[in-house]
Amino acid sequence: MGTEHFNWREYKWHAANRDWRRAEVITAGVDVGSSASKAVVMADGELLAYSILWSGADNRNSAQKALEAALNGMGMSREDIHYVVGTGCGEADVSEAKRTVNEIACHAKGAYYCFGPSQRTVLALGGRGCVVIHCNQEGKVIAFLTNASEPGYCRENPCNACGAAQGRGMEVVADYLGIPIEDIGAISLK
């Protein structure tokens, strides 16, 4: 298990008893989404820390805050990270990124990392769209279907009432019920 911090605008987790200083390679991924910005830090391919923050109007600032939140309390600085990847609608604003990867590929690879080769279908509900992804046994995208609306439209009008806002709808339900968003799935199965 790890240590975690949760409030309604920030969630972060750090692996307990993991000494990142012994790692050969430290990597990070930063996802700047329309509703939330996320960062994950890995040491030699093992999860070390992550954070989820509400995105602000400034994508570059949101990316930096997400990475800082993941690093906070670990004694690690950005200079300790060997490679950073950016993704999401604000991927171009991840200033530390050496590479950007489209978010559909990132969702597929993340599901593969978390659940293994048997995971072949991923449903990603975001702040402005929903995507269903079909993966192969290596976690690579074979096909996908999305209903995402135009980013310019959603940034000007948060579209809380349309079909592109499923993820935002889930956030509203979690806030209303007073439970962490990550618990919605398990609770819905009860």
Side-chain angles (χ1 to χ4, degrees):
M1 293 305 296
T3 58
E4 58 187 284
H5 162 78
F6 176 79
N7 71 37
W8 296 115
R9 297 290 178 222
E10 175 182 314
Y11 181 81
K12 64 183 179 178
W13 176 89
H14 294 124
N17 304 320
R18 174 76 194 227
D19 186 3
W20 60 268
R21 291 170 188 86
R22 296 178 187 213
E24 290 183 32
V25 179
I26 306 287
T27 55
V30 180
D31 175 1
V32 180
S34 61
S35 295
S37 294
K38 291 78 65 182
V40 62
V41 181
M42 300 184 79
D44 293 333
E46 295 294 322
L47 184 60
L48 187 60
Y50 66 85
S51 68
I52 304 168
L53 310 173
W54 289 92
S55 292
D58 181 342
N59 284 345
R60 186 173 300 270
N61 187 44
S62 294
Q64 290 172 353
K65 284 184 175 182
L67 188 54
E68 286 170 12
L71 297 175
N72 189 18
M74 292 179 23
M76 181 187 290
S77 70
R78 293 179 190 182
E79 291 75 31
D80 295 314
I81 301 171
H82 299 110
Y83 200 85
V84 178
V85 172
T87 192
C89 65
E91 67 186 22
D93 294 315
V94 181
S95 58
E96 291 89 353
K98 293 185 180 177
R99 179 179 173 208
T100 60
V101 178
N102 78 65
E103 59 195 278
I104 293 172
C106 288
H107 290 314
K109 196 55 92 172
Y112 175 80
Y113 176 84
C114 290
F115 303 107
S118 64
Q119 184 65 45
R120 299 298 180 90
T121 303
V122 178
L123 176 62
L125 299 172
R128 70 173 191 211
C130 173
V131 62
V132 178
I133 307 163
H134 182 61
C135 312
N136 69 11
Q137 64 274 10
E138 286 91 33
K140 293 184 180 174
V141 177
I142 295 172
F144 67 92
L145 178 64
T146 182
N147 77 332
S149 60
E150 300 268 335
Y153 176 75
C154 277
R155 290 203 181 272
E156 295 169 12
N157 179 357
C159 57
N160 287 332
C162 76
Q166 296 91 347
R168 178 66 184 132
M170 297 294 279
E171 292 167 352
V172 170
V173 168
D175 282 347
Y176 183 75
L177 294 174
I179 58 174
I181 186 76
E182 63 273 7
D183 292 347
I184 290 285
I187 291 170
S188 73
L189 298 173
K190 291 182 179 179

